[in-house]
Amino acid sequence: MFSLTETDEWGALQEHYDKIANVHLRTLFEKDKDRFKKYHIKFNDILFDFSKNRIDNIAFKLLIKLAEHRKLKAQIEAMFTGEKINTTEGRAVLHTALRNRPIDEVIFDGKDVMPEVNAVLKKMKNFVRDVHSGKWKGCTGMPITHIVNIGIGGSHLGPAMVCEALKPYSKPGMSVHFISNVDGCDIAETLKQLNPDTTLFLIASKTFTTQETMTNALAAKKWFLSLTGKKDKDVALHFAALSTNTEAVSEFGINPKNMFEFWDWVGGRYSLWSAIGLSIALYIGFDNFEKMLQGAYQMDVHFRKTPFSENIPVIMAMLGIWYVDFFNVKTHAVIPYYQYLKLFPEFLQQLDMESNGKRVSKDGDIVNYSTGPVVWGVSGTNAQHSFFQLIHQGTQLIPVDFIAPIETQCDEQNQHDILLANMFAQSEAMMKGKTEKEVREELSGSGLKGAELEKILNHKVFPGNIPTNTILIKKLTPETLGSLIAMYEHKVFVQGAIWNINSFDQWGVELGKQLAKRILAELGSDNDISAHDGSTNGLLNYYRENNGR
Ligand code: G6Q
């Protein structure tokens, strides 16, 4: 049985942790004036500062050694070269082929996948061109101005996040909407804003069987057809499919000509680079979509070719492992200081938690170490006025990633300075904290004395020593966003590789789906519901009695 915790490398890290666990970041900075110089990396227009982490030179070296011991290089190559590393589903993991810009061969199952990849990209390009030029017209002869992506999970979060992030690149006159939730309020509120004559629905579903997406797609079709004069044949001009399932697409009534294909070797949460990204290309233009692929490709090259000690995704991943497995950290916050990146934490939640929220190793054993942390966050400065209190003065250690562009794409440079001043201040405050001595000094002129002073003292102390990464991006462009997303994708990959888990399946979503089917049938019958546990029976019967039907 594979035992990560029994390796010499793990043991050495444990031993070193015992020595430095209580060393304060303040001390590390005082001792080593070159920390920033040593612990930051520049990659194109991105600066990754990891100097405010609770590592010294020895910890850093030991973390890199653990990566080497886990044969990370070979594991990276296995992914890029199409080995079936998603072992529980027998699939390759080749989202990197989708952004393989020099178009080198990528052989999978004895066949180069690049001609297919490029054929779909070409089809997307032509489609986007026709929609933008107005050559593609709706059934009443009007051009398309509203794109609606109907999809969920991996077929939603990536495109929604990218469209929000790259709003400044949106084509004038084009708007994009996302419907994901099976909650009918989601589609109802969206449809209120739309005119069917100028709307194009993209049904984004790898399997084309997902309950939420199919329910919403049928509702959209019904809405479309119910509007004066719309016929089945008009559907072809207003519905396209992004899928791997040609049969189900035709059955739904979408002309296979309007189907943009992708493949089994593209995992849902890694699919924004594929046909699933059509909403992005329609919103920001195909040239910008390609630039995003280019940015991701550059990060792929960095990840594949750079020594581990200078490799951003590897370092991010190993630092995460340091905290999760040695400092017993349970959660990791990601706080973008840029409103256009407000959906980035939500996107990362799926990417990270669906990938590494696993407790069984690739060999089928239950692991005896912690794996993926809870990933969460909202944009700053809003975050400062809600939960930063807990990060600064609560009882948990929560590492934070700060992400911000140097240049704003809005006119308010003055406001951008305020925004970034807050971010820099937060990372400094988290690192340094405020000591009792400093609080006493601060209060010395306040008139507070004796018991009164002692009572308030601890409330004003900040322990600090909170590890943070800061990612500064020159400007949030399609290229830099592509690199940023790929950077986190590879971080997640590295952690899965070290933990020896399969980051590319998601069996954990199955049980609830099965139970929901059964419950839906029960809700529709008149019989008393008694087949579940007491709580579920009680809730189901109460719901039925009170839902007014
Ligand atoms: C992602 C998951 C999951 C998936 C959705 C939608 O990695 O597999 O989030 O993307 O369940 O699936 P479909 O695209 O098949 O509708």
Side-chain angles (χ1 to χ4, degrees):
M1 176 180 150
F2 167 82
S3 183
L4 181 59
T5 52
E6 298 299 311
T7 59
D8 291 348
E9 289 72 14
W10 192 275
L13 276 164
Q14 186 61 57
E15 217 172 275
H16 191 61
Y17 165 79
D18 293 339
K19 282 189 204 141
I20 72 159
N22 295 319
V23 176
H24 203 286
L25 274 166
R26 277 188 187 221
T27 317
L28 294 174
F29 272 96
E30 273 154 20
K31 269 197 190 157
D32 187 351
K33 302 287 174 219
D34 283 338
R35 247 183 111 75
F36 176 74
K37 210 158 133 203
K38 223 189 272 173
Y39 293 145
H40 82 263
I41 295 171
K42 281 194 197 128
F43 164 83
N44 295 344
D45 282 345
I46 297 179
L47 178 135
F48 171 62
D49 168 32
F50 61 104
S51 58
K52 291 194 186 84
N53 275 284
R54 290 170 66 170
I55 49 164
D56 58 6
N57 294 344
I58 301 175
F60 187 60
K61 278 197 188 118
L62 291 175
L63 287 167
I64 300 298
K65 270 198 175 163
L66 177 65
E68 282 159 0
H69 172 78
R70 291 290 301 123
K71 302 198 171 31
L72 181 60
K73 185 114 191 95
Q75 295 206 56
I76 294 172
E77 281 313 294
M79 172 170 73
F80 276 90
T81 55
E83 271 183 44
K84 292 186 179 171
I85 60 169
N86 176 355
T87 45
T88 55
E89 296 181 310
R91 289 180 184 162
V93 174
L94 272 176
H95 48 278
T96 50
L98 301 166
R99 55 213 194 195
N100 170 21
R101 302 322 285 152
I103 317 182
D104 297 335
E105 271 188 353
V106 178
I107 304 295
F108 168 60
D109 267 354
K111 197 175 126 206
D112 182 11
V113 299
M114 289 317 295
E116 281 180 308
V117 168
N118 290 313
V120 174
L121 280 173
K122 195 166 165 209
K123 188 170 169 181
M124 288 167 72
K125 184 178 181 175
N126 292 341
F127 185 72
V128 171
R129 183 200 57 210
D130 290 351
V131 169
H132 286 169
S133 69
K135 188 175 166 203
W136 183 286
K137 290 186 174 42
C139 59
T140 54
M142 291 173 77
I144 298 297
T145 50
H146 291 78
I147 307 299
V148 182
N149 188 84
I150 299 185
I152 196 164
S155 301
H156 160 72
L157 290 162
M161 180 275 288
V162 171
C163 287
E164 184 63 30
L166 298 180
K167 216 180 238 172
Y169 294 84
S170 61
K171 289 273 158 194
M174 188 63 76
S175 75
V176 69
H177 309 258
F178 290 88
I179 298 170
S180 57
N181 202 327
V182 75
D183 179 347
C185 302
D186 196 3
I187 187 162
E189 285 300 331
T190 310
L191 293 179
K192 276 185 200 165
Q193 309 163 43
L194 301 173
N195 171 359
D197 297 340
T198 54
T199 298
L200 175 72
F201 291 97
L202 304 176
I203 314 302
S205 177
K206 181 173 166 179
T207 54
F208 230 72
T209 56
T210 304
Q211 185 193 44
E212 292 89 336
T213 303
M214 290 303 108
T215 307
N216 279 323
L218 285 169
K221 193 169 146 188
K222 195 167 153 209
W223 171 81
F224 177 79
L225 291 174
S226 72
L227 295 160
T228 3
K230 304 282 182 284
K231 310 249 164 32
D232 267 332
K233 71 168 180 37
D234 298 331
V235 167
L237 296 171
H238 293 270
F239 283 77
L242 324 173
S243 187
T244 58
N245 187 346
T246 320
E247 221 173 278
V249 168
S250 322
E251 224 167 86
F252 180 86
I254 292 180
N255 186 339
K257 272 199 211 146
N258 301 350
M259 169 172 163
F260 296 83
E261 197 197 353
F262 61 112
W263 308 271
D264 256 2
W265 43 260
V266 183
R269 53 195 173 275
Y270 299 87
S271 64
L272 69 92
W273 319 101
S274 71
I276 289 291
L278 188 59
S279 54
I280 304 172
L282 283 163
Y283 187 53
I284 63 170
F286 192 80
D287 49 342
N288 282 324
F289 182 73
E290 269 192 313
K291 285 182 188 163
M292 187 184 71
L293 300 184
Q294 180 68 33
Y297 168 73
Q298 282 163 7
M299 182 52 75
D300 292 344
V301 174
H302 167 83
F303 177 53
R304 202 173 171 184
K305 306 280 182 212
T306 313
F308 293 163
S309 59
E310 295 154 39
N311 191 314
I312 303 176
V314 173
I315 294 171
M316 284 177 97
M318 297 315 294
L319 288 169
I321 288 175
W322 180 229
Y323 298 123
V324 167
D325 291 300
F326 297 92
F327 287 76
N328 200 20
V329 149
K330 301 288 178 218
T331 87
H332 189 115
V334 179
I335 314 292
Y337 275 69
Y338 202 40
Q339 202 57 11
Y340 290 124
L341 281 174
K342 69 176 181 197
L343 297 181
F344 197 65
E346 201 181 330
F347 164 76
L348 276 189
Q349 286 188 324
Q350 182 193 26
L351 177 66
D352 202 314
M353 295 202 272
E354 207 174 50
S355 297
N356 287 340
K358 315 277 163 73
R359 74 191 206 301
V360 179
S361 77
K362 282 184 193 160
D363 312 310
D365 303 312
I366 306 293
V367 299
N368 63 350
Y369 41 86
S370 294
T371 60
V374 172
V375 174
W376 58 290
V378 298
S379 54
T381 59
N382 294 10
Q384 292 173 208
H385 297 266
S386 60
F387 53 77
F388 269 29
Q389 164 63 37
L390 185 146
I391 299 182
H392 282 295
Q393 291 188 310
T395 52
Q396 302 196 33
L397 180 65
I398 301 176
V400 181
D401 288 357
F402 291 106
I403 307 172
I406 293 172
E407 257 177 62
T408 177
Q409 284 149 305
C410 305
D411 291 336
E412 303 297 337
Q413 187 56 47
N414 170 38
Q415 290 202 202
H416 196 63
D417 285 349
I418 300 175
L419 176 73
L420 282 244
N422 272 281
M423 183 185 81
F424 294 129
Q426 287 298 330
S427 82
E428 186 177 23
M430 286 181 190
M431 186 276 276
K432 277 184 147 173
K434 197 192 272 182
T435 62
E436 189 188 311
K437 189 166 164 257
E438 286 165 343
V439 177
R440 278 189 197 282
E441 275 164 22
E442 204 176 84
L443 292 178
S444 62
S446 70
L448 280 174
K449 279 198 202 82
E452 234 186 334
L453 176 81
E454 296 309 314
K455 206 169 160 194
I456 195 73
L457 200 68
N458 276 340
H459 293 281
K460 297 203 171 236
V461 169
F462 287 65
N465 214 9
I466 298 160
T468 62
N469 293 316
T470 301
I471 299 161
L472 279 179
I473 303 167
K474 190 165 180 297
K475 182 177 170 187
L476 191 65
T477 62
E479 290 94 335
T480 53
L481 181 68
S483 299
L484 183 73
I485 301 168
M487 184 166 120
Y488 274 95
E489 283 180 351
H490 294 321
K491 170 205 164 170
V492 167
F493 171 87
V494 172
Q495 294 192 328
I498 305 296
W499 285 323
N500 195 35
I501 54 178
N502 180 359
S503 302
F504 300 101
D505 61 10
Q506 55 283 315
W507 300 106
V509 294
E510 295 305 320
L511 177 61
K513 279 195 206 168
Q514 282 164 16
L515 294 181
K517 262 193 200 156
R518 172 175 156 197
I519 290 177
L520 184 61
E522 288 169 328
L523 290 179
S525 90
D526 292 333
N527 304 334
D528 186 55
I529 301 176
S530 59
H532 304 263
D533 58 275
S535 161
T536 310
N537 288 336
L539 290 168
L540 293 176
N541 287 315
Y542 185 81
Y543 172 74
R544 247 190 2 189
E545 282 155 28
N546 289 282
N547 70 1
R549 278 183 286 168

